[in-house]
Amino acid sequence: MKKLLMIPDRYHLEADVELAKKYSLGYEYNDFFNPSVLDNKNEQAEIVKGYRDTYLPQYSTLHGAFFDVIPFSLDEKIKEISMLRIEQSISAAQKLGASAVIFHTNYNPFLNSPSYINEWISQNENIWSGILDKHPDISVYLENMFDTTPDIMEELSSRLCRHQNYGVCLDYAHAALSKVAPLWWAKRLGKYVKHVHINDNDLVSDLHLAWGDGKIDRHVFYEAYEQYMNGATVLVETSSYENKKRSLEMLVKEGFISV
């Protein structure tokens, strides 16, 4: 049985809890990637308490910090704050009992010389290996963001997959905006993919539309999932209640999930 997740809205939890229970959904917390929240222990505690006092699903993930998070930077100050944000994100996930934290690769596709790419892969291998070793009880999933092809993620993943708690989060909507067909992303990265983000867009901008409201070929996704990513958890990555509801109804209608 497929495991689907939704983004809970802590300001309207009653409706989201009802939706989560109806479709047996887990949560992907999106409350902790903002630096101002990560630096405010009182606000963090309040958010955690709000979820704990209302409803905690059996399975959850958390989206980690990504604003200007460049742990592979040559600037030691930038690297230092980036590592702090990563650790803060993991700490927040642990407080909520989340099983995994998602981080963006934040690779800059305009820096594409072979020497830069090789150094980027080497730096990221060392950085994430250290984090994975330090936190063996929580998984870390790296998500394609600005990546225009799966090549670099594939090479990095081939080096990190020795860690049981490593995986790829394939953002299918991001892949649909890249230079390479999303089916090819799934084929190339499938054996490393443990988590998938889906939403819809116009194939031009990352709009986070309800599933079915844009131009992404949904049936190609269903085929790609079954063939290459079967078993990966899937986040319906859209925020408004109405978009979540309509996305889930579409996934049921087209036979990807059942109620």
Side-chain angles (χ1 to χ4, degrees), residues 119-156:
E119 181 63 18
W120 188 94
I121 292 172
S122 178
Q123 286 283 338
N124 276 273
E125 178 187 4
N126 292 334
I127 290 162
W128 293 110
S129 286
I131 293 166
L132 291 159
D133 283 337
K134 184 178 179 181
H135 300 285
D137 295 330
I138 195 163
S139 293
V140 170
Y141 300 156
L142 294 185
E143 174 188 345
N144 55 304
M145 181 60 184
F146 307 117
D147 312 69
T148 56
T149 76
D151 299 1
I152 293 174
M153 288 191 74
E154 183 178 29
E155 176 58 30
L156 179 59

Side-chain angles (χ1 to χ4, degrees), residues 16-101:
D16 276 356
V17 168
E18 184 178 335
L19 200 62
K21 290 181 176 179
K22 178 178 179 178
Y23 290 95
S24 301
L25 304 174
Y27 282 170
E28 183 157 303
Y29 301 103
N30 271 216
D31 309 275
F32 300 93
F33 56 68
N34 192 316
S36 66
V37 174
L38 292 175
D39 286 339
N40 189 327
K41 292 183 179 180
N42 290 334
E43 185 175 2
Q44 280 195 53
E46 182 180 330
I47 294 170
V48 170
K49 184 177 186 301
Y51 282 121
R52 286 193 171 277
D53 288 350
T54 307
Y55 173 74
L56 290 181
Q58 290 186 341
Y59 182 84
S60 63
T61 57
L62 182 143
H63 203 306
F66 60 87
F67 292 115
D68 306 311
V69 175
I70 314 291
F72 49 89
S73 175
L74 294 178
D75 188 320
E76 287 299 320
K77 294 298 184 183
I78 294 174
K79 183 171 184 175
E80 180 181 341
I81 195 66
S82 296
M83 295 299 289
L84 172 64
R85 298 304 184 209
I86 290 169
E87 289 294 337
Q88 288 174 320
S89 300
I90 292 173
S91 176
Q94 291 168 332
K95 291 171 184 173
L96 282 163
S99 298
V101 187

Side-chain angles (χ1 to χ4, degrees), residues 4-8 12-27 55 236 238-249 259:
L4 265 70
L5 296 86
M6 63 182 282
I7 299 171
H12 303 92
L13 269 181
E14 285 190 13
D16 276 356
V17 168
E18 184 178 335
L19 200 62
K21 290 181 176 179
K22 178 178 179 178
Y23 290 95
S24 301
L25 304 174
Y27 282 170
Y55 173 74
V236 178
T238 188
S239 297
S240 76
Y241 175 82
E242 184 60 30
N243 280 355
K244 287 181 278 196
K245 182 174 179 289
R246 288 194 295 108
S247 296
L248 290 161
E249 289 171 347
V259 181

